[in-house]
Amino acid sequence: NKNALRTHPIFSRSMIRAGLIAPVPPSQLESDATGLPLAYVIWRRDEAGLLSVLGTVLRGLEVARWLGATPIVDMTNFFTAYGTDSVPQQSNFWNQLFEPLSALRIEDLDRNAFRILFSDGNHAEKSVVDPERIFDFQRDYRAHIRFSEETRRWIENRTETLALQDDVIGVHYRGGDMRTAPRHPLPPTAQQLIRRTKALLDSGEYNSVFLATNVARGRKVFQKAFGGRLKLSPAHNELGSRRLPFSVPKGIAGVGRRSAAQRLEEDGTIGLATARDVLVDVVALSRCGALVCGASNVSLMAKVFADDPFRELSIVDNGQNGTSRLIAYTQWYVKRVLPSRLGGFDA
C-alpha cells in the first residue's frame, strides 16, 4: 500500500528519493499508525534559492500548525541547491543558517516513533502585495524562525555601520536570470526604480537611499543617480567573480553557467556565504522606512522581516513573463526599449 509506505518511518524517505512514490497532500494520506505522534517533514525538490526555500518552510509551518504536527526541515536527504549527489551534504543546511524548528532530529524519524508526512516540495504561493498572506508569513516567522548564532553575527557585522532607520529608502534591484525566467514577474529596470526613489526623496521625508542588488553594473547606475546619498549593501561584494549558489534550468538563462555541483566543488563554502549575504540584504531592507522594489522573494521577505510596516511601499509591477522560452528570453529586453504607448514598461 503506497499510501501507508508514505508514512512509514523507515521506508518513506528513501522511496521518495528513489522516485518510487511521491509526497501527497495530507488530506490524501491514509495510515493505520494512528497512535503515534505526527512529524511533518518540510523539503524542496528543486534548485530553488534560499528565500524561495524559506517561503516553503513558512508555508510548511502553517500546514504543521493545522495538522498539530511537529515540523522539521530536511535538507540532508533531499536535493537542494546547496548539495547534490556528487557533493554530499554532511549536515542539514537549514540548521547552519537557522535554529531547528523543533527538538525533532532527522535521525529520530527512523525510530518507528512517528507517523511521517511530507510537504509537497513546491514553491509557496505568496504575493508581495497580499496583506493577508504577508500576515500569515510574519506570524510564523516571528514565532518559529531564528537565525543561527553564526548567521546572526554575519548579519550584524555587515549592517551595524549602515545606520538604517525611518528616513532611509530601501531599494531592491533584481537582475540576472529573473529577466528571462518563464512565468516569473518581470523585474523593474534601474531607471524605473530610480524615478520612484527620486520622487520619495523629493517629498522631503527621506534623507538617503540604501541599495541591495546582485547586479554589479546596477551599483554604478545608482551611484551616478544619488551620489553621496547612496548607501550600498555590504553583501555580494565580489559580484564580478561570485555566482549565486543555484543554477537556472537549462535553456532559461543558464547557458554557459557552471552547475550547482560544479560551483560547490570549485568554490567550497560559497553556498553558505552567499545565502547569508542574501539574508543581509533582506534584514537591511526591512530596517528602512520605505521600500522601492519589484515582485521578488527578497522584497517579500523584507516585508515579512520588518518589525513595523513600511511608511511607503512602492512596487513596480511589470507583469508576468511568458510561458514559452522564446517569449521569456526576449520580452523584458524588448519592453525595456519600447515606449509605454507601444507596450513598453511604464515609468
Side-chain angles (χ1 to χ4, degrees):
N1 183 326
K2 287 187 176 181
N3 278 339
L5 284 173
R6 286 189 183 94
T7 59
H8 194 288
I10 295 178
F11 297 115
S12 55
R13 286 183 293 142
S14 59
M15 292 189 70
I16 288 173
R17 293 185 71 197
L20 299 177
I21 61 175
V24 298
S27 60
Q28 299 178 26
L29 284 173
E30 296 178 2
S31 174
D32 295 329
T34 56
L36 298 177
L38 189 60
Y40 189 64
V41 180
I42 304 168
W43 64 289
R44 282 291 293 258
R45 75 165 71 240
D46 55 13
E47 289 189 352
L50 173 66
L51 297 183
S52 186
V53 173
L54 178 56
T56 296
V57 171
L58 289 170
R59 186 184 65 170
L61 285 168
E62 292 183 57
V63 175
R65 184 175 60 253
W66 175 74
L67 290 169
T70 302
I72 182 171
V73 177
D74 188 351
M75 287 190 182
T76 302
N77 293 291
F78 294 106
F79 176 84
T80 72
Y82 309 100
T84 67
D85 290 339
S86 62
V87 186
Q89 296 176 172
Q90 301 301 320
S91 60
N92 195 334
F93 187 83
W94 175 266
N95 293 344
Q96 298 181 59
L97 291 174
F98 303 95
E99 297 292 336
L101 297 181
S102 66
L104 188 64
R105 299 173 299 174
I106 298 296
E107 52 267 32
D108 293 335
L109 301 179
D110 294 330
R111 294 176 179 166
N112 297 318
F114 294 90
R115 291 173 296 148
I116 304 172
L117 297 180
F118 292 84
S119 67
D120 58 13
N122 291 326
H123 182 60
E125 295 180 1
K126 296 289 184 182
S127 169
V128 71
V129 294
D130 186 335
E132 183 176 349
R133 293 187 173 186
I134 293 294
F135 174 80
D136 291 339
F137 266 8
Q138 285 177 328
R139 175 187 57 202
D140 289 310
Y141 170 75
R142 292 169 181 174
H144 299 284
I145 305 298
R146 301 287 183 273
F147 295 132
S148 68
E149 181 59 27
E150 186 174 353
T151 298
R152 188 193 63 77
R153 288 197 306 268
W154 182 286
I155 293 170
E156 291 306 318
N157 287 342
R158 284 158 177 76
T159 58
E160 61 184 358
T161 62
L162 291 174
L164 299 173
Q165 52 193 14
D166 208 38
D167 65 346
V168 179
I169 303 169
V171 180
H172 178 235
Y173 178 40
R174 178 73 159 85
D177 56 280
M178 194 169 179
R179 295 172 179 172
T180 55
R183 298 179 298 277
H184 279 63
L186 292 165
T189 66
Q191 292 306 318
Q192 284 180 301
L193 295 171
I194 288 170
R195 281 191 290 268
R196 294 204 180 198
T197 304
K198 284 185 174 180
L200 288 177
L201 281 175
D202 290 343
S203 71
E205 297 186 21
Y206 303 94
N207 294 317
S208 58
V209 178
F210 168 77
L211 175 66
T213 184
N214 62 345
V215 184
R217 203 171 156 192
R219 292 188 173 195
K220 297 177 182 178
V221 174
F222 278 82
Q223 283 175 321
K224 183 178 179 180
F226 298 108
R229 303 181 81 175
L230 183 69
K231 303 171 185 276
L232 289 172
S233 171
H236 313 298
N237 278 330
E238 299 173 28
L239 288 169
S241 60
R242 201 154 140 191
R243 305 293 185 94
L244 292 176
F246 57 87
S247 61
V248 180
K250 194 174 182 180
I252 293 178
V255 177
R257 289 191 172 192
R258 295 173 295 161
S259 69
Q262 288 172 323
R263 279 193 289 279
L264 286 166
E265 288 171 336
E266 295 170 11
D267 302 326
T269 60
I270 185 172
L272 190 62
T274 305
R276 288 193 170 116
D277 271 357
V278 171
L279 292 173
V280 168
D281 280 348
V282 177
V283 169
L285 288 169
S286 75
R287 294 175 179 174
C288 295
L291 178 63
V292 179
C293 61
S296 71
N297 282 322
V298 170
S299 306
L300 169 65
M301 291 304 170
K303 291 189 67 177
V304 172
F305 283 28
D307 291 331
D308 300 301
F310 293 108
R311 291 165 55 195
E312 297 280 350
L313 178 63
S314 182
I315 302 172
V316 179
D317 183 3
N318 284 335
Q320 295 284 117
N321 209 343
T323 57
S324 77
R325 289 179 178 176
L326 176 61
I327 293 175
Y329 290 158
T330 58
Q331 185 169 212
W332 188 89
Y333 294 96
V334 171
K335 284 180 169 287
R336 180 184 61 171
V337 298
L338 284 177
S340 57
R341 67 179 184 277
L342 296 180
F345 294 139
D346 292 332

